[in-house]
Amino acid sequence: MSRKDREGPEMEAAASPTVPGLGREETPEEDADRTEPVPGAEAALDAPSSRYFASLDATVGDLQHRAQHLIDNVNSSRKEDHNVMSTFRESLLLKVSGLAERLEEQLFHLYGIHNELIQERLQELAEVMERVGEAEAELRQVCRTVEAAYRDLCLQPET
């Protein structure tokens, strides 16, 4: 028995999707083709089942409405979060910029104070170096005098 032999009307019916719960099994295509209900079909349904389907339709519609409402709330919350983060980012940037400017001003002020101190120390160093130069010149003069005195002592004949 080939594969084609096995595919009969029973196999085609089993392979096509059906919509359960209807009077006869219909495919979704057949259900979509039917736009208007058949007159008198509603009368065939008894009153309790039609109330059940109406209640079920209302419940499904209510669930869809509630789900859409929740989705709208989530989207609204996300937009609000985005606005809050944008505002926070802008505020933070302004604060950081302000702090950076204040820090820079304080650094320049400290640089000024340190420059004055360095200038004073350099002036003091120059004065000390000048005195060291004078002391060095005076010490050389003393060394020359001692050297000359020593030569004079060494060259004098002994008596």
Side-chain angles (χ1 to χ4, degrees), residues 31-153:
D31 189 40
D33 290 341
R34 188 177 58 170
T35 57
E36 293 294 321
V38 177
E42 291 179 5
L45 293 176
D46 58 354
S49 67
S50 66
R51 275 188 245 137
Y52 171 76
F53 284 120
S55 173
L56 184 61
D57 288 343
T59 303
V60 169
D62 184 47
L63 288 174
Q64 289 174 340
H65 177 71
R66 288 171 60 188
Q68 186 60 46
H69 181 69
L70 289 173
I71 290 169
D72 292 343
N73 285 345
V74 167
N75 288 337
S76 175
S77 293
R78 287 178 179 176
K79 285 179 185 176
E80 186 177 326
D81 291 347
H82 178 72
N83 290 339
V84 167
M85 287 304 297
S86 295
T87 303
F88 175 72
R89 182 183 298 115
E90 290 171 7
S91 173
L92 189 61
L93 285 173
L94 289 174
K95 287 181 181 182
V96 168
S97 295
L99 287 174
E101 285 181 27
R102 285 181 41 204
L103 179 62
E104 191 175 30
E105 289 172 4
Q106 289 177 353
L107 282 173
F108 287 145
H109 178 71
L110 287 174
Y111 290 165
I113 292 172
H114 287 148
N115 284 342
E116 290 174 8
L117 290 173
I118 290 170
Q119 192 64 36
E120 288 176 12
R121 301 285 193 221
L122 287 174
Q123 184 65 33
E124 290 173 5
L125 180 63
E127 291 171 4
V128 168
M129 293 303 290
E130 187 178 330
R131 285 192 303 237
V132 167
E134 291 171 1
E136 185 181 11
E138 189 177 322
L139 184 58
R140 284 180 196 222
Q141 186 60 35
V142 169
C143 284
R144 286 184 196 135
T145 306
V146 169
E147 184 181 354
Y150 181 73
R151 271 190 239 148
D152 286 342
L153 286 176

Side-chain angles (χ1 to χ4, degrees), residues 11-29:
M11 293 300 287
E12 288 176 8
S16 65
T18 59
V19 178
L22 297 175
R24 64 178 186 88
E25 298 295 314
E26 293 181 354
T27 63
E29 293 83 20

